[in-house]
Amino acid sequence: MKLCVIDFETANQHSASACSIGLMVVENGEVLHEAVYLIRPHVKVAYFSEKNISIHGIRYDDVEYEKEFDAIYPELRPWFEDSVLMAHNAAFDMGVLSSLFKLYQIETKPLKYIDSLEIARKVYPFLRNHKLKTVCEHLDIELNHHEALSDAKGSCLIALNTMAMMDDFDLESFIDRLNLRINWII
């Protein structure tokens, strides 16, 4: 079973305003695929707030000639539908994904996902918090925070480091052993 780790950056507070996605796909501890895409947000949600720009540095000029999500999704679909998805604080990223599916009226089979935040809370309860940056610092994982591919890698490496600690790279076994909650995008 594959694990597809994703991270979205958004142009503004609207959950469908994705302007970048990073993804890492791993199976049995081996990286199969990694990619990052800039995304031109749909015209309905295409404004870039100063707050979001200050977080990730992406401006409209950076995405003006990029594809919208519906044009990128055919490249993502095989990885998404043949994997368990994961993100750090997954409610945010899966909310973005659900909003994009709704905005573009994309039909997809139900997608299951787990959260590396839940992994971090279970495995590293002693940390002052379980933000991606904090957990990556603890594990000595290099992170260019709020760059989509770097954040996806950070989240992925939290899972892979935990699997290595447990000496178990089988995703189903890993989910069972940590009693991780499986959520769904339907």
Side-chain angles (χ1 to χ4, degrees):
M1 182 183 304
K2 291 191 259 314
L3 179 66
C4 179
V5 187
I6 64 171
D7 181 79
F8 279 106
E9 300 300 329
T10 57
N12 55 62
Q13 75 281 1
H14 194 286
S15 59
S17 69
C19 59
S20 182
I21 182 174
L23 72 147
M24 294 279 301
V25 182
V26 296
E27 186 173 32
N28 298 319
E30 181 182 332
V31 176
L32 303 179
H33 181 69
E34 65 179 74
V36 64
Y37 298 87
L38 287 174
I39 303 167
R40 183 168 32 95
H42 189 281
V43 67
K44 290 181 182 177
V45 292
Y47 67 94
F48 279 70
S49 76
E50 286 304 317
K51 178 182 177 191
N52 289 50
I53 292 169
S54 73
I55 292 169
H56 52 59
I58 301 169
R59 300 177 173 279
Y60 184 77
D61 292 352
D62 299 317
V63 301
E64 183 177 5
Y65 300 106
E66 300 295 334
K67 296 176 184 175
E68 288 190 31
F69 182 78
D70 61 335
I72 294 168
Y73 190 65
E75 297 172 46
L76 303 175
R77 181 186 295 270
W79 299 114
F80 283 23
E81 290 186 350
D82 193 29
S83 304
V84 173
L85 296 175
M86 184 176 80
H88 199 80
N89 194 16
F92 171 79
D93 296 281
M94 301 311 160
V96 171
L97 186 57
S98 292
S99 293
L100 289 165
F101 286 159
K102 189 174 189 175
L103 178 64
Y104 289 103
Q105 299 178 353
I106 295 171
E107 302 258 339
T108 185
K109 71 179 199 175
L111 303 172
K112 58 183 163 183
Y113 69 91
I114 58 176
D115 195 332
S116 61
L117 176 61
E118 182 184 5
I119 295 167
R121 286 180 174 153
K122 288 183 177 210
V123 180
Y124 309 106
F126 51 84
L127 293 178
R128 70 184 181 280
N129 64 53
H130 297 90
K131 294 177 181 178
L132 182 62
K133 186 175 181 179
T134 304
V135 181
C136 286
E137 283 174 2
H138 174 74
L139 294 173
D140 205 23
I141 296 168
E142 192 175 313
L143 184 69
N144 179 9
H145 201 24
H146 298 297
E147 188 282 317
L149 181 57
S150 184
D151 284 359
K153 281 183 181 179
S155 177
C156 184
L157 287 171
I158 290 169
L160 289 176
N161 274 283
T162 306
M163 289 174 169
M165 260 179 20
M166 297 169 68
D167 195 27
D168 187 355
F169 286 94
D170 178 78
L171 185 57
E172 285 182 77
S173 171
F174 176 72
I175 290 169
D176 287 344
R177 287 177 65 187
L178 281 180
N179 194 29
L180 298 176
R181 185 174 49 248
I182 295 178
N183 303 288
W184 293 86
I185 296 175
I186 300 176

